[in-house]
Amino acid sequence: MAMTLDVNGKPLAVKAAPDTPLLWVLRDELRLTGTKYGCGIAQCGACTVLVDGQPVRSCATPIEGLAGLKITTIESLGGAHPLQQAWVKNDVPQCGYCQSGQIMSAAALLAAKPHPTDADIDAAMDGNICRCGAYQRIRAAIKEAAGMAPATVATPAAPAKV
Amino acid sequence: MNKILSPRETLGATRRDLVVGATLVGGALLVGCGPADLLSVGAKENFGAFGPFIKIGADGAVTVISKHIEFGQGNHAGLAAIVAEELDADWTKVKVEQAPAIAKVYANTGMGVQGTGGSSAISNSWTQLRQAGAGAKAMFVEAAANKWNAPVGEITVKDSVVSHAKSGKSATFAQLLPEAGKVTPPKTPTLKDPKTFTLIGTDRVRRKDSQAKSDGTARFTQDVQMPDMLTAMVAHPPRFGAKVASFDAAEARKVPGVVEVYQIPTGVAVVAENTWAARKGREALKVTWDESGAEKVSSDKLAANYRQWAAGKGTLPEKTPWQPFETKGDAAKKVEGTIFETSYDFPFLAHAAMEPMNCVAQVGVGKAKLTFGSQIPTVDQLNTAKIVGMLPGAVEIETLFAGGSFGRRANFQSDYVAECVEIAKKVGKMRPVKLVWTREDDMTAGYFRPLTHHALKITLDKEGYPLAWRHRIVTQTLMKGSPIPAKGLDETTVEGAKGSPYLKATPVVDAQALLPDLGVPVLWWRSVGATHTAFVMEHTIDQLARKAGKDPVAYRRALYEKAGATRHLAVLNLAAEKAGWDQPAPAGWSRGVAVHESFGTLVAQVAEVQLVDGQPKVGRVVTAVECGTPISPDQIAAQMEGGICYGLSAALFGQVTLKDGVVEQTNFDTYRVLRNSEAPTVETYIVPSGNAPSGIGEPGTPVIAPAVANALLALNGQATTSLPFVKA
């Protein structure tokens, strides 16, 4: 029954039944809780991980088809990935719950298109919901991580003292 | 207080104690003992030398204890900055920790209980944390003065270093800590002159949690793992008010990993070794529901009733009178002028925070601990205490980050918390139980922004300005189940219409609200009353301006001047200037403006809108905000950006409908929300102010919908009489 998954470069034996979505194996069994549950039906993107470099909604991906494929989660980015640096510099997160999924979708985008257009960003990021509405900063941070011109709208200068 | 509760202050209180305690809450006020004191009995209090809000480590690092939950609005950064400013701590090394639940120490000074809401985190803490920071600083100053035999007045502090220029001596907080900790804190520490602030109001005040929230290490309720922890899911009835009639758990128990199945007041709980097993177990349950007490209303029927009642037709429900909220002049007297009539319909809305509601509870004999994103810890303690039979203060709460709330985690029933505690009580032995709600559980559980109807009849003078304003609002009260029942009208249902400068500028006002009772649980939703009143006031005003042949900005200015609404005028003028209102809108775009005050903060927005395939597309939004002394300009901008997206999402798509009592939307496939490509580009400009800070988490939200409606009005002359703009 046990199968082996390649998670963040390590072969890991898992006990879960084959129909278990990857999300719950990552979170409950492997204790990789950076990947979040948001909807369970591949609508919100909070659970996004990479499978062989492609963004996948782990909440709706049973593990049975994943043997031999490379699974990459937020934990593998190390915290200082250019996207993560740009996220921190722009103070992108608000509640932060969706951000692992946002960053994994953005990582797949930049791997495929190192200098994405706005249309590329729309296409790659529209599957990731952020209820706090950090979208503008997500877009700015992706561009910054890609070494592109910063977003046209800067945060305001501090108001004059009164 | 001790005398009142004597002889027992132990953890093992009985239900009777609680009833006695709860009864005393009212009576205790009479003897000068606040409810917060009473609700804190049994809490462990153990603060260091610098009091409940500041910890300073042996390395000199300053940790600010936040009594408020951080669920996105950046309050942790702002609260820490207030302390760091007065303490002159090295901001780069300041950390933030979440306070435990102790109402008498950590009460929201505006609520009387510990809780976050009403955009009050910064405003209610402003003086309290300035004093805490200034007090701690005074302790270091006095310690240094004693050590160096120098006058206190000659000691300075900067970036956690204490100096005496004349002698050339200096020491870090770490070096002075042993002596400073022994100094008696001053009773009334001297606060800084705000003109000398070096941190507050600067771009240095940035979030402290961005790294943890970008690398997956930030800890949410969903992420809690404890030894021996069980995960629970609950089968809930399809209709509000239904109960379990009977259930068959045989198949559920066969699911590998399912540990136990319990009937609880809200349904049938499946307790399992992991989330997926709990879910499969729940799917295998067979439950028959008793729907004799269930609410079977349909939202279209409800809206029709509301429209009828507002129009003075039909029979009002029993014990449901019209309640005046603003009355001026003689409404019965006929006023000559042109009549303008309109009405608006607003749907139920779900909060739909990214993290569905969840909680971790442990219940033992005379002990209970909750680990989760608690928005109103005191109420969660009270509701837990009722279930387990303890004194509320003895219920321990460890508050974690929450993946959004927008009001949902704050309700008088502590609905999902109580559900988790019921299960943990069955499990017992302090064994941790994590209650996981699926998105479907979250979306169909109610606590919606109520379905609401407004009807207006306005008499206009020759210039087109209002002479008489008749206003009727039909909605549900948000205060149902409050332990402190509202005296008179529930103000949260009318705020924003009540107090509007437009009503102030109108000689005759007859404004009333009708609050019928209903079995659909409703709740505050980011910006509360303003979710509908801002739209009604601002979209109506634009229609009146148009009718009068006047520019919407000029028309508002005239009314603000008449009402003496100088703060409204300031944000309107700044937004109009930055948006280039006196220039034509960019080709292909239409512009709309709206202004609203909520939570003490003024926001004006100019939205540029176009119609793409019949659906509004919002491009640039220029927003001007006046929120008193700005603490973190960057987070003020972030809240304008986020608040606009939250409001726009609801305005464009948000709609929960009920069919015979069943919620028709269950997940993001049927409850559409704003996505990245639909988000506007927001520019934020802050009006300088030296007043105490006011709210920022909510005031950006309610202004965008009327700004968009007004842009559409300018585009095609069509008024918007119901939301959402995009019908499903």
Side-chain angles (χ1 to χ4, degrees):
Chain A
M1 186 100 160
M3 70 180 281
T4 302
L5 292 178
D6 178 343
V7 180
N8 299 334
K10 281 184 225 154
L12 298 172
V14 298
K15 290 180 289 184
D19 66 339
T20 312
L22 174 61
L23 172 69
W24 298 114
V25 176
L26 291 172
R27 291 183 54 83
D28 285 355
E29 194 172 339
L30 302 178
R31 305 285 165 104
L32 294 169
T33 54
T35 307
K36 303 300 188 219
Y37 166 75
C39 72
I41 58 165
Q43 286 288 312
C44 81
C47 67
T48 304
V49 299
L50 306 186
V51 175
D52 278 358
Q54 295 301 309
V56 161
R57 313 304 177 198
S58 64
C59 73
T61 306
I63 56 170
E64 56 201 339
L66 297 175
L69 304 181
K70 288 186 189 318
I71 298 158
T72 310
T73 72
I74 186 74
E75 285 84 1
S76 77
L77 297 195
H81 183 281
L83 279 165
Q84 291 173 313
Q85 289 185 37
W87 244 247
V88 173
K89 192 176 157 204
N90 286 278
D91 271 349
V92 171
Q94 291 190 24
C95 87
Y97 194 78
C98 73
Q99 297 299 346
S100 295
Q102 301 278 359
I103 289 172
M104 295 313 287
S105 287
L109 167 66
L110 291 191
K113 295 187 175 169
H115 300 286
T117 62
D118 275 313
D120 293 332
I121 294 175
D122 288 350
M125 302 306 294
D126 260 7
N128 289 80
I129 293 170
C130 173
R131 290 290 288 151
C132 296
Y135 293 129
Q136 178 170 333
R137 293 184 186 219
I138 288 169
R139 188 174 294 268
I142 290 172
K143 290 180 179 179
E144 193 168 310
M148 295 158 74
T152 48
V153 180
T155 52
K161 287 270 169 66
V162 281
Chain B
M1 182 190 77
N2 289 341
K3 199 175 158 195
I4 293 170
L5 274 181
S6 174
R8 182 124 63 133
E9 285 186 40
T10 58
L11 300 182
T14 62
R15 272 178 194 279
R16 195 182 158 274
D17 285 336
L18 187 83
V19 173
V20 172
T23 311
L24 283 172
V25 169
L29 288 167
L30 298 174
V31 295
C33 169
D37 294 306
L38 249 148
L39 293 172
S40 302
V41 174
K44 294 175 206 154
E45 292 176 48
N46 186 18
F47 309 115
F50 301 98
F53 295 103
I54 300 172
K55 279 199 302 197
I56 302 181
D59 59 351
V62 174
T63 300
V64 174
I65 312 301
S66 170
K67 64 182 184 180
H68 293 290
I69 184 173
E70 171 63 81
F71 36 34
Q73 283 62 44
N75 66 43
H76 276 191
L79 297 170
I82 297 169
V83 171
E85 176 70 66
E86 290 287 352
L87 177 54
D88 281 309
D90 179 355
W91 172 244
T92 61
K93 297 199 174 69
V94 172
K95 285 181 274 198
V96 185
E97 250 180 39
Q98 194 71 53
I102 311 174
K104 78 170 177 182
V105 178
Y106 295 117
N108 184 313
T109 57
M111 294 180 183
V113 297
Q114 190 171 347
T116 304
S119 293
S120 67
I122 298 291
S123 61
N124 95 92
S125 305
W126 174 239
T127 304
Q128 185 174 53
L129 291 186
R130 287 184 72 191
Q131 284 173 344
K137 178 180 168 179
M139 291 163 75
F140 280 103
V141 168
E142 194 178 322
N146 290 342
K147 194 169 182 174
W148 301 331
N149 202 16
V152 160
E154 290 179 5
I155 306 288
T156 58
V157 184
K158 192 182 180 217
D159 289 341
S160 301
V161 177
V162 187
S163 305
H164 182 235
K166 272 191 191 165
S167 65
K169 283 181 176 148
S170 74
T172 61
F173 280 179
Q175 289 164 332
L176 280 172
L177 194 61
E179 294 94 335
K182 287 180 198 129
V183 173
T184 308
K187 278 208 174 114
T188 48
T190 310
L191 304 183
K192 283 185 177 178
D193 177 347
K195 289 193 181 72
T196 67
F197 285 164
T198 57
L199 177 65
I200 283 176
T202 72
D203 278 336
R204 289 201 295 133
V205 185
R206 304 296 298 263
R207 299 186 72 100
K208 293 283 180 184
D209 55 6
S210 286
Q211 180 65 43
K213 287 178 173 177
S214 300
D215 62 20
T217 60
R219 192 159 166 256
F220 298 87
T221 310
Q222 196 77 34
D223 305 332
V224 172
Q225 298 283 357
M226 293 182 189
D228 219 20
M229 189 179 82
L230 294 167
T231 303
M233 284 207 193
V234 176
H236 296 113
R239 289 181 171 86
F240 302 114
K243 298 206 173 319
V244 176
S246 64
F247 69 100
D248 174 357
E251 291 302 314
R253 287 179 195 277
K254 286 182 198 160
V255 172
V258 168
V259 174
E260 197 42 271
V261 178
Y262 301 109
Q263 183 175 341
I264 57 169
T266 52
V268 179
V270 176
V271 175
E273 287 165 1
N274 60 66
T275 320
W276 191 243
R279 179 163 187 146
K280 287 179 85 169
R282 184 173 75 167
E283 279 167 11
L285 275 179
K286 291 182 192 77
V287 187
T288 310
W289 302 100
D290 167 8
E291 298 202 320
S292 54
E295 175 64 67
K296 291 183 179 165
V297 73
S298 291
S299 38
D300 53 355
K301 239 180 168 170
L302 186 66
N305 280 344
Y306 283 14
R307 282 193 288 268
Q308 236 196 356
W309 294 333
K313 295 174 198 155
T315 314
L316 294 182
E318 265 181 59
K319 293 181 188 164
T320 309
W322 282 100
Q323 302 182 66
F325 63 87
E326 224 172 288
T327 310
K328 201 172 14 158
D330 184 359
K333 199 172 139 195
K334 176 142 177 69
V335 179
E336 290 301 323
T338 316
I339 305 287
F340 173 82
E341 280 189 274
T342 187
S343 68
Y344 303 95
D345 288 296
F346 302 93
F348 288 112
L349 292 174
H351 300 78
M354 284 311 295
E355 183 181 20
M357 296 304 106
N358 48 15
C359 183
V360 178
Q362 295 164 268
V363 176
V365 178
K367 275 210 279 193
K369 183 179 178 191
L370 309 177
T371 308
F372 78 113
S374 177
Q375 184 167 357
I376 315 280
T378 310
V379 169
D380 293 333
Q381 285 179 304
L382 196 56
N383 285 316
T384 300
K386 280 184 199 166
I387 296 166
V388 303
M390 287 174 63
L391 288 168
V395 176
E396 196 185 335
I397 299 184
E398 181 183 347
T399 298
L400 307 179
F401 287 131
S405 168
F406 315 112
R408 181 62 181 85
R409 284 184 179 266
N411 67 74
F412 297 123
Q413 291 74 29
S414 304
D415 63 330
Y416 62 95
V417 183
E419 184 170 284
C420 187
V421 171
E422 292 280 2
I423 303 166
K425 188 182 165 189
K426 298 264 190 196
V427 170
K429 296 178 183 165
M430 289 302 276
R431 189 168 183 187
V433 175
K434 174 158 66 175
L435 171 70
V436 173
W437 274 14
T438 59
R439 174 59 56 194
E440 290 81 4
D441 291 318
D442 186 275
M443 198 161 277
T444 57
Y447 293 96
F448 303 128
R449 193 286 304 271
L451 184 144
T452 300
H453 177 75
H454 286 237
L456 286 80
K457 184 179 177 186
I458 299 160
T459 311
L460 302 161
D461 68 14
K462 281 182 191 140
E463 295 291 308
Y465 293 106
L467 284 170
W469 191 296
R470 184 182 193 274
H471 201 135
R472 295 290 181 269
I473 302 177
V474 189
T475 187
Q476 282 172 263
T477 178
L478 305 180
M479 299 299 282
K480 193 174 174 179
S482 165
I484 308 156
K487 282 185 195 127
L489 179 65
D490 169 8
E491 299 269 329
T492 65
T493 60
V494 297
E495 59 185 6
K498 180 173 180 169
S500 164
Y502 307 133
L503 298 191
K504 204 170 179 191
T506 304
V508 179
V509 176
D510 165 23
Q512 301 184 33
L514 186 78
L515 307 177
D517 191 24
L518 204 65
V520 182
V522 293
L523 191 60
W524 20 72
W525 186 102
R526 195 176 191 174
S527 84
V528 195
T531 59
H532 47 96
T533 59
F535 186 89
V536 168
M537 301 311 283
E538 287 304 304
H539 193 38
T540 300
I541 281 298
D542 244 56
Q543 292 172 70
L544 297 182
R546 193 176 171 79
K547 208 170 150 60
K550 292 185 166 63
D551 171 74
V553 167
Y555 187 84
R556 281 180 176 78
R557 277 185 188 135
L559 290 172
Y560 294 158
E561 274 159 17
K562 202 170 168 191
T566 52
R567 295 176 72 206
H568 286 76
L569 206 50
V571 289
L572 174 65
N573 286 341
L574 184 60
E577 178 207 322
K578 297 295 183 184
W581 187 265
D582 56 351
Q583 303 295 315
W589 295 88
S590 174
R591 251 185 333 223
V593 66
V595 185
H596 195 73
E597 176 181 7
S598 57
F599 311 98
T601 289
L602 272 295
V603 173
Q605 288 169 11
V606 175
E608 293 177 358
V609 180
Q610 54 186 200
L611 279 175
V612 180
D613 302 328
Q615 186 174 313
K617 158 91 187 158
V618 184
R620 177 182 181 228
V621 179
V622 173
T623 180
V625 53
E626 196 262 271
C627 54
T629 301
I631 311 290
S632 171
D634 180 69
Q635 284 305 298
I636 291 168
Q639 284 313 295
M640 288 299 112
E641 294 156 19
I644 285 168
C645 284
Y646 199 76
L648 183 60
S649 183
L652 287 175
F653 314 118
Q655 174 162 239
V656 167
T657 53
L658 302 177
K659 191 170 167 33
D660 304 324
V662 177
V663 177
E664 294 187 290
Q665 293 71 22
T666 55
N667 205 318
F668 291 121
D669 53 346
T670 43
Y671 190 80
R672 186 175 168 189
V673 297
L674 194 80
R675 290 176 184 270
N676 201 319
S677 65
E678 296 156 338
T681 305
V682 178
E683 295 169 36
T684 302
Y685 301 94
I686 300 169
V687 176
S689 167
N691 294 334
S694 48
I696 203 61
E698 296 170 88
T701 296
V703 190
I704 188 65
V708 172
N710 293 341
L712 295 175
L713 183 69
L715 179 72
N716 56 23
Q718 300 275 312
T720 303
T721 55
S722 70
L723 289 179
F725 290 110
V726 180
K727 311 290 183 212

